Amino acid sequence: MMGSRIAGLSLAAMLAAAPAYAQSPGTWSTAAQMTTTRGDIGVLESGGKVYVIAGNSNGRVDSTLVQEFDPATARWRDLAAVPRGSSHVGAAIVNGKIYVAGGFLANVHKDPIDQLAEYDIATNTWKTLAPMPRPLGSAGLAAVGGKLHVIGGRGPDTMTVTTHLVYDLATGRWSDAAPLPLARDHFGTIALGGKIYVVGGRTAATVNNVGQTDAYDPATDKWTTLAPMPTGRSSTFAGVYKDMIVVVGGECKNAQTRAAFDEAEAYDPKTNRWTSLQKPPGGMHAGGLAAVGNTAYLFGGNGGCGGDNPSTNVWAFRLP
């Protein structure tokens, strides 16, 4: 067991202190299995439990399925269904309430919707809020300072956009904010330290992946382009783990073999630096990541390009 001094260090400091892990720190294991294959889902943590929302499931691309996973027992529980099912949803959490925005009703990024819905964890109930000013799918959703930010995505013409919409939870009103510097979708969206980070994504098809990393400061309504992710990719597992932004997998590493990315990389906002992590057991994309305690859990997704090789795996990743 590591001492408290080491446990409090940033990943960059751990790498400097432990040369043996300089290239690929971390360990992987299989923590559980999902009750069905699921992809293009919303994944969030609250109170030590993980919520997996909508996406592709049971042969549908517009699933309404909502489930709760308890890492302590590895058990699943079905919850109230989201009002309108879709895949490629944006998801965020504020004060015990989960918010889901947008999504697609059809394959190949078609038929985006304007849904904004709120789920109350305490009562297991959903309600529909004021719809987004325009329908979007595969957009990012992040919550900062009592406001929801819907960023990027694709509209009805399937083209990527720089759209940045803001919903005020106190007033129930929508407004526009500074547009995303580069039009794209299928990126990681992370709220950390009062800012919003948009990592990677694609500008059009999967051959148009980017490593661009941008940060938005709500206090100034400005974007800053940061050090790029070393491996440009989209449709990743992305989230906060040990105060780092961790990005795993992605679509699509090899179009000929139809293999997904198996890269794992971490970004430290304090140093504006990226670090390689131990690769997962295999390539995967279109799932979700949530951290509980000292473990990051990765849910579902697909092992190949598009909908190839859907998975029920729940992988666990831990840094020393």
CSV table of all heavy atoms in Angstrom, one decimal, residues 10-35:
chain,number,residue,atom,x,y,z
A,10,SER,N,0.6,14.2,-8.2
A,10,SER,CA,0.0,14.2,-9.6
A,10,SER,C,0.6,13.0,-10.3
A,10,SER,O,1.7,12.5,-9.9
A,10,SER,CB,0.2,15.5,-10.3
A,10,SER,OG,1.6,15.6,-10.6
A,11,LEU,N,0.0,12.6,-11.4
A,11,LEU,CA,0.6,11.6,-12.3
A,11,LEU,C,2.0,12.0,-12.7
A,11,LEU,O,2.9,11.1,-12.8
A,11,LEU,CB,-0.3,11.3,-13.4
A,11,LEU,CG,0.2,10.3,-14.4
A,11,LEU,CD1,0.4,8.9,-13.7
A,11,LEU,CD2,-0.8,10.1,-15.6
A,12,ALA,N,2.2,13.2,-13.1
A,12,ALA,CA,3.5,13.6,-13.6
A,12,ALA,C,4.5,13.4,-12.5
A,12,ALA,O,5.6,13.0,-12.8
A,12,ALA,CB,3.4,15.1,-14.0
A,13,ALA,N,4.2,13.7,-11.3
A,13,ALA,CA,5.1,13.6,-10.2
A,13,ALA,C,5.4,12.1,-9.9
A,13,ALA,O,6.5,11.7,-9.6
A,13,ALA,CB,4.6,14.2,-8.9
A,14,MET,N,4.3,11.3,-10.0
A,14,MET,CA,4.5,9.8,-9.8
A,14,MET,C,5.5,9.2,-10.8
A,14,MET,O,6.3,8.4,-10.5
A,14,MET,CB,3.2,9.1,-9.9
A,14,MET,CG,2.3,9.3,-8.6
A,14,MET,SD,0.9,8.2,-8.6
A,14,MET,CE,0.0,8.8,-9.9
A,15,LEU,N,5.3,9.7,-12.1
A,15,LEU,CA,6.2,9.2,-13.1
A,15,LEU,C,7.6,9.6,-12.9
A,15,LEU,O,8.5,8.8,-13.1
A,15,LEU,CB,5.7,9.7,-14.5
A,15,LEU,CG,4.4,9.2,-15.0
A,15,LEU,CD1,4.0,9.9,-16.3
A,15,LEU,CD2,4.3,7.7,-15.1
A,16,ALA,N,7.8,10.8,-12.4
A,16,ALA,CA,9.2,11.2,-12.1
A,16,ALA,C,9.8,10.5,-11.0
A,16,ALA,O,11.0,10.2,-10.9
A,16,ALA,CB,9.2,12.7,-11.8
A,17,ALA,N,8.9,10.1,-10.0
A,17,ALA,CA,9.4,9.4,-8.8
A,17,ALA,C,9.6,7.9,-9.0
A,17,ALA,O,10.2,7.2,-8.3
A,17,ALA,CB,8.5,9.6,-7.6
A,18,ALA,N,8.9,7.4,-10.1
A,18,ALA,CA,8.9,5.9,-10.3
A,18,ALA,C,9.3,5.6,-11.7
A,18,ALA,O,8.4,5.4,-12.6
A,18,ALA,CB,7.6,5.3,-10.0
A,19,PRO,N,10.6,5.6,-12.1
A,19,PRO,CA,11.0,5.4,-13.4
A,19,PRO,C,10.5,4.1,-14.1
A,19,PRO,O,10.4,4.0,-15.3
A,19,PRO,CB,12.6,5.4,-13.3
A,19,PRO,CG,12.8,6.2,-12.1
A,19,PRO,CD,11.7,5.9,-11.1
A,20,ALA,N,10.3,3.1,-13.2
A,20,ALA,CA,9.8,1.8,-13.8
A,20,ALA,C,8.5,1.9,-14.5
A,20,ALA,O,8.2,1.1,-15.4
A,20,ALA,CB,9.7,0.8,-12.7
A,21,TYR,N,7.7,2.9,-14.2
A,21,TYR,CA,6.4,3.1,-14.8
A,21,TYR,C,6.5,4.3,-15.8
A,21,TYR,O,5.4,4.8,-16.2
A,21,TYR,CB,5.4,3.4,-13.7
A,21,TYR,CG,5.1,2.3,-12.8
A,21,TYR,CD1,5.7,2.2,-11.5
A,21,TYR,CD2,4.3,1.2,-13.2
A,21,TYR,CE1,5.4,1.1,-10.7
A,21,TYR,CE2,4.0,0.1,-12.4
A,21,TYR,CZ,4.6,0.1,-11.1
A,21,TYR,OH,4.3,-1.0,-10.3
A,22,ALA,N,7.6,4.7,-16.2
A,22,ALA,CA,7.8,6.0,-16.9
A,22,ALA,C,7.0,5.9,-18.3
A,22,ALA,O,6.5,7.0,-18.7
A,22,ALA,CB,9.2,6.3,-17.2
A,23,GLN,N,6.9,4.8,-18.9
A,23,GLN,CA,6.2,4.7,-20.2
A,23,GLN,C,4.7,4.3,-20.1
A,23,GLN,O,3.9,4.7,-20.9
A,23,GLN,CB,7.0,3.8,-21.1
A,23,GLN,CG,8.4,4.2,-21.4
A,23,GLN,CD,8.4,5.6,-22.1
A,23,GLN,OE1,7.6,5.9,-23.0
A,23,GLN,NE2,9.3,6.5,-21.7
A,24,SER,N,4.4,3.4,-19.1
A,24,SER,CA,3.1,2.8,-19.1
A,24,SER,C,2.6,2.4,-17.7
A,24,SER,O,2.5,1.2,-17.4
A,24,SER,CB,3.0,1.6,-20.1
A,24,SER,OG,4.0,0.7,-19.7
A,25,PRO,N,2.3,3.4,-16.9
A,25,PRO,CA,1.8,3.0,-15.5
A,25,PRO,C,0.4,2.6,-15.6
A,25,PRO,O,-0.4,2.9,-16.5
A,25,PRO,CB,1.9,4.4,-14.8
A,25,PRO,CG,1.7,5.4,-15.8
A,25,PRO,CD,2.4,4.8,-17.1
A,26,GLY,N,0.0,1.8,-14.6
A,26,GLY,CA,-1.4,1.4,-14.4
A,26,GLY,C,-1.6,-0.1,-14.7
A,26,GLY,O,-0.8,-0.8,-15.4
A,27,THR,N,-2.7,-0.7,-14.2
A,27,THR,CA,-3.0,-2.1,-14.4
A,27,THR,C,-4.5,-2.2,-14.7
A,27,THR,O,-5.3,-1.3,-14.3
A,27,THR,CB,-2.8,-2.9,-13.1
A,27,THR,OG1,-3.6,-2.3,-12.0
A,27,THR,CG2,-1.3,-2.9,-12.7
A,28,TRP,N,-4.8,-3.2,-15.5
A,28,TRP,CA,-6.2,-3.4,-16.0
A,28,TRP,C,-6.7,-4.8,-15.5
A,28,TRP,O,-6.0,-5.7,-15.3
A,28,TRP,CB,-6.2,-3.4,-17.5
A,28,TRP,CG,-6.0,-2.1,-18.2
A,28,TRP,CD1,-4.8,-1.6,-18.5
A,28,TRP,CD2,-7.0,-1.2,-18.5
A,28,TRP,NE1,-5.0,-0.3,-19.1
A,28,TRP,CE2,-6.3,0.0,-19.1
A,28,TRP,CE3,-8.4,-1.1,-18.4
A,28,TRP,CZ2,-7.0,1.1,-19.5
A,28,TRP,CZ3,-9.0,0.0,-18.9
A,28,TRP,CH2,-8.3,1.1,-19.4
A,29,SER,N,-8.0,-4.8,-15.3
A,29,SER,CA,-8.7,-6.1,-15.0
A,29,SER,C,-10.1,-6.0,-15.4
A,29,SER,O,-10.6,-4.9,-15.7
A,29,SER,CB,-8.6,-6.3,-13.5
A,29,SER,OG,-9.3,-5.3,-12.7
A,30,THR,N,-10.8,-7.1,-15.4
A,30,THR,CA,-12.3,-7.2,-15.7
A,30,THR,C,-13.0,-7.1,-14.4
A,30,THR,O,-12.9,-8.0,-13.6
A,30,THR,CB,-12.6,-8.4,-16.6
A,30,THR,OG1,-11.9,-8.4,-17.8
A,30,THR,CG2,-14.1,-8.4,-16.8
A,31,ALA,N,-13.8,-6.1,-14.2
A,31,ALA,CA,-14.5,-5.9,-12.9
A,31,ALA,C,-15.9,-6.6,-12.9
A,31,ALA,O,-16.4,-7.0,-11.9
A,31,ALA,CB,-14.7,-4.4,-12.7
A,32,ALA,N,-16.5,-6.7,-14.1
A,32,ALA,CA,-17.9,-7.2,-14.1
A,32,ALA,C,-18.3,-7.3,-15.6
A,32,ALA,O,-17.5,-7.1,-16.5
A,32,ALA,CB,-18.9,-6.3,-13.4
A,33,GLN,N,-19.6,-7.8,-15.8
A,33,GLN,CA,-20.2,-7.8,-17.1
A,33,GLN,C,-21.5,-7.0,-17.1
A,33,GLN,O,-22.2,-6.9,-16.1
A,33,GLN,CB,-20.5,-9.2,-17.5
A,33,GLN,CG,-19.3,-10.1,-17.7
A,33,GLN,CD,-18.4,-9.7,-18.8
A,33,GLN,OE1,-18.9,-9.4,-19.9
A,33,GLN,NE2,-17.1,-9.8,-18.7
A,34,MET,N,-21.8,-6.3,-18.2
A,34,MET,CA,-23.0,-5.6,-18.3
A,34,MET,C,-24.1,-6.6,-18.6
A,34,MET,O,-23.8,-7.8,-19.0
A,34,MET,CB,-22.9,-4.6,-19.4
A,34,MET,CG,-21.8,-3.6,-19.2
A,34,MET,SD,-21.7,-2.3,-20.5
A,34,MET,CE,-23.0,-1.3,-20.0
A,35,THR,N,-25.4,-6.2,-18.4
A,35,THR,CA,-26.5,-7.2,-18.6
A,35,THR,C,-26.8,-7.3,-20.1
A,35,THR,O,-27.5,-8.2,-20.5
A,35,THR,CB,-27.7,-6.7,-17.9
A,35,THR,OG1,-28.1,-5.4,-18.4
A,35,THR,CG2,-27.5,-6.6,-16.4
